Amino acid sequence: MGVSDATPAFSMRGALQSGLVIPAHPLALTPSRTMDEAHQRALTRYYVAAGAGGIAVGVHTTGFPIHDDKIGLYRPVLELAAETATAALASSPRPFVRVAGLLGDTAQALREAQVALALGYHCGLLSLGAWRDATDVQILAHCRRVAEAIPLFGFYLQPAVGGRRLSYTFWREFAEIPQVVAIKVAPFDRYATLDVVRALADAGRDDIALYTGNDDAIVSDLVTDVPVTSGGRAYTRHFVGGLLGQWAVWTHRAVSMLREMQDWRASGATSVPRAWLTRGAALTMANAVIFDAAHGYTGCLPGILEVLRLQGLVRGCWTFDTHERLSPGQAEAIARLSAQYPELVDDAFVAEHRDAWLA
């Protein structure tokens, strides 16, 4: 059964443009690799209570294997998240953007788009992992076809976790697709990141919201005004929010941080507080541990789940890939993060509400 947004005057494009914290929703599993429904609901309730402006489900952080028909969890996982979020928002309605991860060839992506729309999702985050050897022309044809079925949240995923390099020319043409509402820019590369910003400006698409997916440069992305030109007009663009695996943890603090930055922008101040840059460096160092950057991100998903396990929000850091596990020393490093970076964590907030979310 589909669900609708809790606010009747909801505008997806307007909500995205306002700037949101959108956690990439993990998947809570049992030791036998079945969905742990109680803890999965608790995660969704956590994100709503923390003040997130939406959730992204069926994305890399959720685990791409749920898209496999043999596992058969794509619809159940999306449905559970949508229904839980709707119930959690009932007492205090607000705009809440539901983003569905879309995967595979065009036929599969279209099937998944139909499922997502039926469940009340507003747009699709289109992964291009299955198109790593395709030409730009082929990929753009795929994107245009899927955009006819569901509004697109573009996705520049770094190659280390299944993405591919995409040129300025690709993004310039992608920006011509009318149904594109936002782009998650996550190549973990400054040159590539700025290519996307420049392409949107050159296309004149100020209506496409920029979302950072660069977990290694969250604060830098959010406080930087990028100089661009369009039609002879010089101006700046900036990332309005983030759709991040890092924001699947410590979400309450992420919401506070983004609101602080939004207030700073609204004040008209031009100098970036040095304390934010220090916080940004701390967040990048913490993310390096959680995402297991030292081992090429092999422990990325288990790392996210381990943070949530320590908070009591999931029972373990299991994924569908039995070979995917924490790297040597990663668990010990994650256990030290709360003491090392107390300004980043939301352990007290979670502890206060966890039992209610699990009920």
Side-chain angles (χ1 to χ4, degrees), residues 80-299:
L80 186 66
E83 290 181 349
T84 304
T86 297
L89 289 161
S91 61
S92 183
R94 69 174 191 269
F96 195 78
V97 178
R98 298 171 182 84
V99 184
L102 308 177
L103 198 67
D105 60 17
T106 304
Q108 179 179 346
L110 288 172
R111 289 195 303 271
E112 293 182 348
Q114 291 170 354
V115 170
L117 287 171
L119 295 174
Y121 284 76
H122 303 109
C123 54
L125 188 75
L126 187 59
S127 172
L128 301 176
W131 297 79
R132 296 187 72 169
D133 299 321
T135 66
D136 283 1
V137 171
Q138 291 170 321
I139 299 173
L140 287 164
H142 167 67
C143 294
R144 293 186 186 103
R145 182 67 186 89
V146 178
E148 294 173 358
I150 190 170
L152 286 190
F153 205 124
F155 188 13
Y156 196 169
L157 177 64
Q158 62 157 321
V161 292
R164 55 165 286 167
R165 185 78 182 196
L166 296 164
S167 67
Y168 160 85
T169 302
F170 170 86
W171 289 111
R172 177 64 182 79
E173 293 194 40
F174 183 84
E176 298 286 350
I177 300 173
Q179 300 92 339
V180 174
V181 294
I183 298 177
K184 168 179 173 165
V185 186
F188 284 42
D189 179 301
R190 304 318 297 163
Y191 298 115
T193 294
L194 296 177
D195 276 347
V196 181
V197 182
R198 186 163 56 94
L200 293 190
D202 289 348
R205 291 298 301 273
D206 293 345
D207 62 323
I208 295 177
L210 278 164
Y211 274 69
T212 180
N214 290 319
D215 302 80
D216 64 338
I218 297 171
V219 172
S220 296
D221 276 349
L222 291 172
V223 301
T224 300
D225 289 328
V226 181
V228 293
T229 58
S230 177
R233 176 172 67 103
Y235 64 112
T236 61
R237 288 293 307 266
H238 67 274
F239 287 86
V240 298
L243 195 167
L244 295 153
Q246 176 61 47
W247 281 358
V249 304
W250 307 338
T251 312
H252 190 247
R253 285 295 178 91
V255 170
S256 297
M257 183 183 75
L258 182 59
R259 287 175 180 166
E260 189 179 345
M261 292 176 177
Q262 291 170 334
D263 289 344
W264 165 73
R265 285 191 176 278
S267 74
T270 56
S271 299
V272 177
R274 289 182 62 186
W276 288 359
L277 303 180
T278 302
R279 190 190 312 173
L283 187 56
T284 298
M285 290 190 290
N287 175 260
V289 173
I290 297 169
F291 275 29
D292 194 27
H295 299 94
Y297 308 100
T298 57

Side-chain angles (χ1 to χ4, degrees), residues 12 25 37 39 43 59 92 108 136 160 162 166 245 281 290 295 314 329:
M12 172 186 56
H25 204 309
E37 184 171 321
H39 287 83
L43 286 176
V59 296
S92 183
Q108 179 179 346
D136 283 1
L166 296 164
I290 297 169
H295 299 94
V314 300

Side-chain angles (χ1 to χ4, degrees), residues 337-356:
L337 291 178
S338 290
Q340 289 175 314
Y341 307 111
E343 72 280 7
L344 300 179
V345 306
D346 63 358
D347 294 351
F349 173 76
V350 173
E352 180 182 357
H353 301 284
R354 180 184 57 239
D355 291 346

